[in-house]
Amino acid sequence: MRLINRVAQALVAEGVTDVFGMMGHSTKYLYHALHQEGVNLIDVRHEGFAMYMADGYARSTGRIGVCSSVEGPGLAQFATPLLTASRARSPVIALVSECAVTDTENVHRMDQARFVEACESSYLSVPNAAMVDDVVREAFIRARRESRPIVLSVRDDLQTEEVDGDEPYVPSTAIMPGRQRIRPDADSVNLAADIIAQSRKPVIIAGRGAILSGAEDAVLKLSNRIGALIGTSLRGRNFLADAEYQVGISGLYGTRTSFQLFEEADCVIAIGATMNRYTTSEGLAFANARIVHIDTTPQITVGAGRKTDCFLNADARAGIEALEQELASRSVQNVGFHTPEVRAQLAANYDDPRSFDIAPGEVDPREVCRMLNDIVPGDIPLATAGGAAGGFTHTLLKRRRPFVLSGHYFGTTGQMLPVALGASIANGKKPMLLLDGDAGMMMVINDFDTAVRYNIPVLGIVLNDQALGIEYQMMVAHELEEDLATVPSPDMGAIAVAMGGRGRLARSVEDVRSAVEEWLANPGPMIVDVRISRNVLPIPMARMLYAEDV
Amino acid sequence: MITVNEAIQVPYPRRLVWSLLSVPETVVGLVEGAELIEEHEDGTYDGAITIQFGPLKVMFRAHVLLKLDDTDMVGEIHAQGKDKQASTRFNTNMNFKVEKHADPSTSLISANAEVEIKGRLAKVVETGAKLVVKRLVTSFTERLTARCEAVQRSETAV
């Protein structure tokens, strides 16, 4: 058996069913071997797109996403996606080739290990035929343990070497212990309970850790006991979105009501949230609150280096359940924020009274978001990009959904189309709603062709202001030449059609609604290019640039 | 560095306006969100000011030096402060002057402020900070006008 066939066997034994990539001459054996093993190969037009798809696969499931590229220039195309996946803490394995040691004049030669390390990822190379099982297994162990990309390389000259392959490959899952919930220390639970019992106005901030640990019921129970408002980080957005006292995202994408209510907080219970600078408004929010922090990763500070008052090193659900039990044993019960007055405030939580002049043929992006939030059913997952579009979508698409992916990792433009496609494939080609800006979509639109070839049912709504939205608004505020930030774009709906998918150019909310209804009736790859008005300033920009109290 | 220059006319005599601006407690009361905490023997003060940046309110503790020149009716406020976490610091120099006007029943008040914000808050507010400072200066002059009116009304009543 060839070594590369053993690698393919090992991948299948590790549970790999899909590999995203672009074949190169030195990965031809790998592709052939994977095909023989029944692996679903998804061919892309740009190697970076494959890495993003694997990232989306991992982000939406927690399973390892796998992608592939040729050595040298192919691997170099992974640079930004590697950093993005690393920041997203996505377990991803990238299979790459590597020039033979003796092939010193190969134009593809580069120091791959150093490159990968610089991209905040790890590099493992199969050193010889005897080590192939060990190195593949280590790659899977480390991807899970470190929760970041591992680039696994097989040198050209090793790929066709013969290996025995007479023993079954032992997958990493047979060696690694199963997932265990970290239980909190009893003394720390007591201290946290002391702080919470003294609180009159507690707030819970749930992050991605709360979602991943399945802490919904536990958080709701605690919230009801102590009268806590439930806010989220951006990564935890839409968590318990239908709960009565859920106030949305804390910090940068927070509503005005959330700022007003959080100002009263005397205790913050952060659950599986890093409480970074965005969630805490540079550490300036919750100025009068004591902080109880529950996380699996030891964190002694929150945004701006502020010390936590009590840290519980625990799984989110296990930590909350322990706290709830302790508070119940003390008969702690508090009304807190759970009052008719707060309910009345929350009824208008997402209102935005600002009005703007909208030119004919342009649309208010807020109306598009509200309409999408209403008509796209809650069983359809959501992916939203950052940038100016994120200023609308992160806040207004607030419905509870199976999962919600936000494209803020590494601040990378153009990550969300491939992430959404990878997430759809990971979930059995589940229909996905994607919202992106024009710059993000145009950066990767060549690979919409991949969505068409594999009939991946992603609806891409482009909030197209024909500009680099954030930069445009900054140029205006700084009294610079704002036209420098405008970039006209072609009709992306027409591009989608030309690629064999469906598409529309929308110049009214009704245009968008009709396209979405068509997609809902028959999901498939589709782009709706919505021409939005640049006059509508995203709320985070209105605050930052004009200090508007909105 | 944020620089704000404001000049307004108030329909009150110069002497009345200065009688208010020469009392530290009154001056502090004219600054939106400010309070005086303690006066020190060297003539400086500890104070606090809560400033609203968008929907976010941030309280700063500040050390304030107030210099007043009764003859020329000129005042200087120097304040240095930091927020509770000391992640943001500010440094302010403000000069104000009550000047003569052709109409003796009217005064001209000029206020020039330089504010430097360093640290984490600077990232949150970007160009918005200048508008916040301008708002504070405008509010200062509006409050002063209202206070003058109140004093004159009470004097007239007596």
Side-chain angles (χ1 to χ4, degrees):
Chain A
M1 174 190 285
R2 284 174 170 165
L3 180 146
I4 204 70
N5 289 81
R6 183 64 174 176
V7 170
Q9 270 189 358
L11 290 173
V12 171
E14 292 283 0
V16 175
T17 55
D18 304 278
V19 173
F20 309 97
M22 186 170 170
M23 191 197 292
H25 61 83
S26 51
T27 52
K28 58 184 178 293
Y29 292 115
L30 173 67
Y31 268 68
H32 185 73
L34 289 170
H35 176 67
Q36 283 187 318
E37 293 293 335
V39 173
N40 182 31
L41 297 164
I42 296 101
D43 298 311
V44 299
R45 300 294 185 183
H46 185 290
E47 292 91 341
F49 204 88
M51 171 62 76
Y52 284 135
M53 287 183 82
D55 182 2
Y57 188 102
R59 279 192 218 178
S60 64
T61 61
R63 301 200 305 270
I64 293 177
V66 181
C67 59
S68 173
S69 90
V70 71
E71 77 284 330
L75 173 61
Q77 300 278 33
F78 280 168
T80 309
L82 265 179
L83 281 155
T84 306
S86 181
R87 299 292 173 90
R89 305 206 65 227
S90 294
V92 168
I93 289 182
L95 302 163
V96 301
S97 46
E98 186 177 338
C99 297
V101 177
T102 53
D103 193 5
T104 55
E105 293 186 29
N106 193 316
V107 292
H108 284 186
R109 180 168 284 284
M110 65 181 277
D111 188 338
Q112 300 198 153
R114 281 180 62 201
F115 172 81
V116 170
E117 291 295 332
C119 294
E120 301 177 2
S121 304
S122 289
Y123 189 77
L124 290 174
S125 181
V126 177
N128 55 52
M131 295 289 289
V132 62
D133 284 14
D134 293 334
V135 176
V136 173
R137 193 162 38 245
E138 187 185 348
F140 277 85
I141 289 171
R142 288 183 60 181
R144 286 199 179 87
R145 195 178 61 209
E146 297 171 19
S147 203
R148 66 172 182 161
I150 308 292
V151 176
L152 173 61
S153 108
V154 185
R155 286 199 325 264
D156 287 358
D157 54 319
L158 280 180
Q159 292 185 14
T160 52
E161 254 191 39
E162 287 296 312
V163 296
D164 291 339
D166 52 350
E167 292 290 327
Y169 172 83
V170 180
S172 58
T173 46
I175 293 173
M176 293 182 81
R179 183 165 177 267
Q180 297 175 11
R181 289 186 187 277
I182 302 173
R183 310 275 164 189
D185 169 71
D187 289 343
S188 298
V189 170
N190 274 329
L191 174 59
D194 289 347
I195 293 170
I196 295 167
Q198 289 165 21
S199 165
R200 303 274 53 93
K201 290 290 183 77
V203 166
I204 290 171
I205 300 293
R208 189 161 74 152
I211 295 173
L212 296 175
S213 78
E216 286 91 341
D217 292 345
V219 169
L220 200 54
K221 196 172 174 186
L222 177 68
S223 162
N224 288 335
R225 175 175 295 285
I226 62 175
L229 288 174
I230 300 170
T232 75
S233 66
L234 176 58
R235 296 171 192 189
R237 62 188 272 226
N238 299 35
F239 178 84
L240 287 173
D242 43 8
E244 197 169 20
Y245 291 96
Q246 208 263 24
V247 291
I249 300 170
S250 168
L252 182 64
Y253 296 104
T255 63
R256 183 171 183 267
T257 303
S258 74
F259 274 87
Q260 290 171 335
L261 291 170
F262 288 167
E263 199 180 296
E264 300 172 32
D266 58 8
C267 172
V268 175
I269 307 162
I271 306 168
T274 55
M275 298 297 279
N276 62 28
R277 55 190 282 197
Y278 304 106
T279 308
T280 63
S281 300
E282 301 290 342
L284 296 162
F286 308 116
N288 302 312
R290 299 176 78 187
I291 297 175
V292 173
H293 201 166
I294 304 170
D295 209 303
T296 50
T297 307
Q299 312 211 30
I300 52 168
T301 61
V302 297
R306 186 174 162 193
K307 183 181 174 297
T308 58
D309 295 279
C310 175
F311 177 72
L312 265 67
N313 192 190
D315 164 78
R317 195 174 99 190
I320 288 296
E321 285 174 346
L323 260 180
E324 159 62 22
Q325 201 174 3
E326 178 61 27
L327 292 166
S329 75
R330 301 183 189 189
S331 302
V332 172
Q333 194 77 46
N334 179 20
V335 171
F337 283 104
H338 290 202
T339 64
E341 293 75 23
V342 171
R343 274 206 304 279
Q345 276 182 275
L346 290 175
N349 191 20
Y350 292 96
D351 290 356
D352 181 356
R354 299 173 304 157
S355 62
F356 300 92
D357 291 332
I358 310 291
E362 293 183 348
V363 183
D364 184 333
R366 298 172 301 175
E367 289 181 28
V368 175
C369 292
R370 289 192 191 104
M371 183 269 292
L372 291 171
N373 187 62
D374 290 342
I375 74 166
V376 177
D379 62 343
I380 293 180
L382 170 70
T384 56
F392 306 112
T393 60
H394 290 339
T395 308
L396 296 174
L397 283 140
K398 55 188 170 49
R399 193 168 180 166
R400 189 169 181 167
R401 297 184 181 280
F403 60 87
V404 178
L405 306 174
S406 303
H408 57 285
Y409 296 106
F410 194 47
T412 308
T413 303
Q415 64 179 283
M416 289 318 282
L417 173 63
V419 162
L421 296 182
S424 174
I425 285 180
N427 290 276
K429 285 196 179 173
K430 192 171 181 58
M432 289 267 310
L433 172 64
L434 161 71
L435 281 99
D436 205 336
D438 43 318
M441 185 61 89
M442 282 302 294
M443 187 176 280
V444 291
I445 201 165
N446 57 319
D447 253 302
F448 182 74
D449 159 68
T450 300
V452 173
R453 278 184 285 112
Y454 294 94
N455 193 28
I456 306 170
V458 169
L459 170 62
I461 304 285
V462 185
L463 297 180
N464 187 352
D465 60 4
Q466 305 217 69
L468 300 160
I470 285 181
E471 290 71 17
Y472 177 87
Q473 302 297 354
M474 285 181 163
M475 300 284 272
V476 172
H478 284 276
E479 298 177 348
L480 303 172
E481 180 51 61
E482 69 263 25
D483 285 346
L484 294 172
T486 62
V487 188
S489 54
D491 174 354
M492 286 178 247
I495 292 174
V497 171
M499 287 181 167
R502 279 178 289 163
R504 293 275 186 85
L505 180 66
R507 292 192 176 277
S508 70
V509 174
E510 281 315 304
D511 286 349
V512 186
R513 182 193 298 274
S514 124
V516 172
E517 285 171 349
E518 179 196 314
W519 181 81
L520 287 170
N522 180 24
M526 183 173 187
I527 292 177
V528 181
D529 181 343
V530 189
R531 298 302 163 110
I532 64 164
S533 171
R534 285 196 287 266
N535 290 346
V536 186
L537 193 62
I539 282 178
M541 305 295 291
R543 292 171 182 161
M544 185 167 74
L545 300 176
Y546 302 105
E548 286 184 29
D549 183 15
V550 289
Chain B
M1 179 75 80
I2 299 164
T3 305
V4 175
N5 300 313
E6 289 275 302
I8 59 154
Q9 284 183 34
V10 289
Y12 301 99
R14 200 175 168 219
R15 182 51 60 187
L16 170 63
V17 173
W18 182 253
S19 71
L20 296 173
L21 289 180
S22 56
V23 180
E25 288 78 4
T26 309
V27 174
V28 169
L30 298 175
V31 180
E32 191 180 312
E35 60 176 314
L36 211 55
I37 295 172
E38 188 181 358
E39 182 177 356
H40 297 289
E41 287 180 358
D42 62 0
T44 62
Y45 301 85
D46 285 336
I49 183 166
T50 300
I51 302 177
Q52 188 164 351
F53 295 91
L56 178 69
K57 288 180 185 165
V58 182
M59 192 182 82
F60 296 92
R61 297 269 176 188
H63 188 65
V64 184
L65 171 64
L66 182 63
K67 287 184 186 171
L68 299 168
D69 180 340
D70 284 325
T71 311
D72 292 334
M73 297 188 188
V74 171
E76 291 176 33
I77 301 174
H78 302 283
Q80 286 184 315
K82 57 190 176 188
D83 75 304
K84 200 171 177 181
Q85 277 85 47
S87 63
T88 301
R89 291 166 189 268
F90 77 91
N91 198 336
T92 300
N93 292 309
M94 180 176 171
N95 302 312
F96 56 90
K97 187 174 186 180
V98 184
E99 295 178 87
K100 287 179 186 169
H101 190 270
D103 176 358
S105 66
T106 296
S107 305
L108 185 64
I109 302 172
S110 60
N112 308 309
E114 286 187 338
V115 181
E116 189 175 26
I117 299 175
K118 287 181 178 172
R120 292 185 174 264
L121 185 65
K123 297 171 197 161
V124 179
V125 293
E126 200 169 280
T127 49
K130 182 171 184 176
L131 299 171
V132 170
V133 173
K134 193 170 167 54
R135 189 187 73 209
L136 282 174
V137 174
T138 304
S139 148
F140 178 85
T141 52
E142 285 171 358
R143 285 176 176 220
L144 175 62
T145 307
R147 192 69 195 271
C148 289
E149 186 184 350
V151 171
Q152 194 172 61
R153 202 183 303 123
S154 65
E155 283 176 354
T156 308
V158 170

